[in-house]
Amino acid sequence: MDLFYRSTRSNHDAVKASQAILKGLADDGGLYVPESVPRLDKSFEALSEMTYQETAYEVMKLFLTDFTESELKDCINKAYDSKFDTEQIAPIVEAEGTYYLELFHGATIAFKDMALSILPHLLITSAKKNNVKNEIVILTATSGDTGKAALAGFADVKGTKIIVFYPKNGVSPIQEKQMITQKGENTLVVGITGNFDDAQTGVKQLFGDKELAERMNQAGFQFSSANSINIGRLVPQIVYYVYSYSQLLKMGKVEKGEKINVVVPTGNFGNILAAYFAKHMGIPIAKLICASNENKVLYDFFETGIYDRNRAFVLTSSPSMDILISSNLERLIYLTAGADADKNVAFMNSLATSGRYEITADMREHMKDFYGNYASEQETTNTIKTLFEKTGYVIDTHTAVAACVLEKYKKETGDETKTIVASTASPFKFTRSVMNAIDIKYDTMGDFALVDELSKIAKIKVPNAIEEIRTASILHDTVCEKEDMKAVVMRFLGI
């Protein structure tokens, strides 16, 4: 039976998965949500014997029902191949009794690779299925990781162009170098003089610009998105929560049906929303622990039921979480409001006009599986240092936020349930912050000297993604004001 998708902002006709992937954002500005969450149709025992690729098929076939078996398997096999530096794709490392799900073994050493390796293939297949003749222009805002992962996925993919906007002074040096050295005739990387929320808002406005859409259509182009607002990003992320539970079962770390907690360092809310969907598919997840940095808008939301972005924007050592407008939260708001588009629109209008909204007591009750907390910069630093000194295991700043929040949760609740921490980036992506946390003496070293020192103390080979940019030439140097994003897009497309 086909699974259809609806916008969070209207009750218009439902669309098939391939149509939702193609559009990215609905015409009314809403995000696509499945009409229901399908249940897994394989046993935990069967799943525990599967490879990552096989697990991906079993999960994704239930959501992407208008893809044939051969189409979907072809997309999966092209995505999860030698681009990843381990056959497991997403290995689990145990440290201090916690299970770290390493999601950074792909081409750009961040968790975004898990979905952005497959999205180009899903998108091209969707275009063929829907007889799309236009060239697809991927338009993306990034807080650091999505940009490079999307660029790597779409570079020189026939029938596509990709434009990435990032906050010029709001990403790590390694993140920026990865993006501005990106090869590919169809790629454009643009720094904006603003923060991530400015970039994300600008991209949403471009998606909603009907006059621009018409001009693009006449020139043979149409927009789609590689941000986590695209359901083609969210569905592949569900896979690794299913896979990690089945691997814990295979390793004998949990009994069949035993509940686990999941901790996710969270900015745009897509990664933890994927865990929420995995739970509703039948994975026995007890608590969904939402970990924030000092931009703790989500922590305050789970504490009070009030979402309020009216606050200072803090630049932290975990820049991928430096976000005050968590776009994917809209999907949870819609679902907990009983899939009531009108209620959701009222909340989103309030956010757009006043910068805040307050959900109902009934909606808060539907969110009781979530727990939120945050880590300060000092706590993040201490967590990296302590874990390394105790175990020799090195984690990045975002993963450290999650590990810190887990300790706070345990102290607060006494809950010792076995826990998976989503380890979202390699420590090599945030080398200076990580090494300074271990010992401030490292701060005098250059960026790539630090990379080599980290490799030595952690006993890990320097990832290929880092080796590639040591001597790479800068190919993108465009910087614009946030008001000029439309002009930059039109110039790139020649319209």
Side-chain angles (χ1 to χ4, degrees):
M1 228 172 72
D2 273 343
L3 180 65
F4 288 90
Y5 291 79
R6 291 190 182 276
S7 167
T8 52
R9 299 194 186 183
S10 70
N11 295 311
H12 293 163
D13 293 343
V15 299
K16 291 182 177 181
S18 63
Q19 295 168 317
I21 289 168
L22 267 176
K23 292 184 81 68
L25 200 63
D27 290 337
D28 53 33
L31 281 65
Y32 285 111
V33 175
E35 288 188 323
S36 62
V37 178
R39 300 285 292 184
L40 288 162
D41 60 5
K42 291 287 187 292
S43 68
F44 291 142
E45 292 95 333
L47 288 166
S48 71
E49 296 302 319
M50 291 183 188
T51 63
Y52 191 88
Q53 294 85 343
E54 289 166 341
T55 307
Y57 176 72
E58 292 303 329
V59 173
M60 293 171 69
K61 73 176 187 185
L62 302 173
F63 284 95
L64 310 181
T65 53
D66 64 329
F67 284 68
T68 66
E69 180 177 348
S70 63
E71 285 171 341
L72 190 49
K73 285 184 173 176
D74 181 58
C75 290
I76 289 166
N77 292 332
K78 282 176 177 169
Y80 305 113
D81 58 8
S82 59
K83 289 190 293 294
F84 288 80
D85 63 19
T86 168
E87 278 185 32
Q88 289 172 279
I89 307 298
I92 294 171
V93 173
E94 187 176 354
E96 283 286 282
T98 297
Y99 300 100
Y100 289 86
L101 176 62
E102 293 189 342
L103 300 172
F104 52 76
H105 288 273
T108 74
I109 57 175
F111 83 100
K112 307 294 174 74
D113 290 323
M114 302 300 294
L116 284 165
S117 293
I118 193 168
L119 182 61
H121 305 295
L122 294 176
L123 200 57
I124 295 302
T125 305
S126 296
K128 285 177 187 165
K129 294 175 84 64
N130 290 276
N131 300 311
V132 170
K133 304 297 181 212
N134 283 346
E135 192 162 355
I136 295 163
V137 180
I138 302 298
L139 190 63
T140 291
T142 185
S143 55
D145 286 338
T146 287
K148 176 58 183 179
L151 288 161
F154 283 94
D156 291 325
V157 170
K158 196 176 175 188
T160 70
K161 291 187 186 298
I162 177 164
I163 306 168
V164 170
F165 290 98
Y166 74 97
K168 176 62 185 162
N169 297 309
V171 300
S172 80
I174 296 286
Q175 285 177 313
E176 183 173 48
K177 189 88 186 281
Q178 281 187 301
M179 287 190 282
I180 63 177
T181 58
Q182 176 65 51
K183 295 175 181 173
E185 291 297 312
N186 63 338
T187 65
L188 177 67
V189 180
V190 184
I192 69 155
T193 53
N195 60 38
F196 169 72
D197 289 330
D198 295 324
Q200 182 167 253
T201 299
V203 163
K204 284 186 174 179
Q205 287 170 349
L206 289 170
F207 268 103
D209 189 325
K210 299 288 188 270
E211 182 204 354
L212 178 59
E214 181 53 37
R215 288 184 68 174
M216 287 179 62
N217 186 48
Q218 287 172 4
F221 299 111
Q222 68 186 64
F223 280 142
S224 190
S225 171
N227 277 87
S228 56
I229 54 175
N230 193 317
I231 200 72
R233 270 280 303 277
L234 191 61
V235 169
Q237 290 180 274
I238 300 167
V239 174
Y240 47 74
Y241 293 110
V242 175
Y243 179 74
S244 61
Y245 185 80
S246 65
Q247 288 305 295
L248 286 181
L249 194 63
K250 185 177 186 176
M251 293 155 65
K253 302 296 184 182
V254 296
E255 302 292 326
K256 179 188 166 189
E258 181 182 347
K259 290 196 170 183
I260 59 166
N261 292 334
V262 171
V263 192
V264 187
T266 307
N268 225 356
F269 208 75
N271 201 2
I272 197 165
L273 187 69
Y276 173 83
F277 277 117
K279 176 184 172 84
H280 285 268
M281 290 189 83
I283 297 300
I285 296 170
K287 276 288 178 189
L288 295 152
I289 300 172
C290 178
S292 301
N293 64 17
E294 288 182 3
N295 292 291
K296 56 188 182 69
V297 65
L298 288 166
Y299 164 61
D300 293 340
F301 170 69
F302 284 116
E303 282 287 291
T304 64
I306 298 168
Y307 192 96
D308 188 350
R309 64 173 173 83
N310 299 308
R311 61 185 72 204
F313 186 95
V314 185
L315 288 173
T316 73
S317 61
S318 47
S320 298
M321 299 158 67
D322 290 348
I323 292 171
L324 295 181
I325 304 171
S326 301
S327 284
N328 263 289
L329 185 63
E330 180 173 343
R331 284 186 167 113
L332 184 67
I333 296 297
Y334 170 80
L335 291 168
T336 53
D340 187 324
D342 292 336
K343 270 190 189 174
N344 178 63
V345 166
F347 290 128
M348 295 306 121
N349 285 344
S350 179
L351 181 65
T353 54
S354 69
R356 72 194 297 277
Y357 59 83
E358 183 171 3
I359 62 172
T360 65
D362 186 51
M363 288 171 71
R364 289 190 73 184
E365 178 63 21
H366 279 97
M367 293 182 193
K368 66 181 186 298
D369 291 344
F370 285 90
Y371 165 91
N373 214 318
Y374 78 101
S376 69
E377 283 291 271
Q378 190 57 55
E379 288 170 330
T380 303
T381 293
N382 294 346
T383 301
I384 294 169
K385 182 180 178 69
T386 302
L387 188 63
F388 173 68
E389 288 178 347
K390 283 185 177 178
T391 67
Y393 186 54
V394 182
I395 55 175
D396 91 293
T397 46
H398 303 74
T399 308
V401 167
C404 176
V405 166
L406 173 59
E407 289 310 306
K408 289 186 176 184
Y409 170 76
K410 286 175 166 180
K411 278 183 189 165
E412 194 178 305
T413 64
D415 183 0
E416 290 294 328
T417 299
K418 289 164 188 170
T419 303
I420 283 176
V421 169
S423 185
T424 53
S426 165
F428 286 96
K429 197 140 193 170
F430 303 93
T431 318
R432 186 163 299 279
S433 296
V434 168
M435 294 300 279
N436 283 352
I438 290 169
D439 195 323
I440 196 64
K441 72 181 183 187
Y442 292 120
D443 199 37
T444 58
M445 298 172 71
D447 286 334
F448 287 103
L450 276 177
V451 163
D452 293 330
E453 188 65 20
L454 173 55
S455 174
K456 192 165 87 180
I457 68 166
K459 300 180 177 63
I460 313 170
K461 184 173 175 282
V462 177
N464 191 47
I466 300 295
E467 292 292 4
E468 282 177 346
I469 61 171
R470 276 188 199 263
T471 56
S473 301
I474 292 170
L475 301 174
H476 303 271
D477 57 5
T478 305
V479 178
C480 77
E481 299 296 323
K482 59 189 177 186
E483 297 83 9
D484 297 328
M485 289 168 65
K486 180 176 177 177
V488 168
V489 168
M490 292 174 70
R491 191 161 61 243
F492 180 62
L493 298 179
I495 59 173

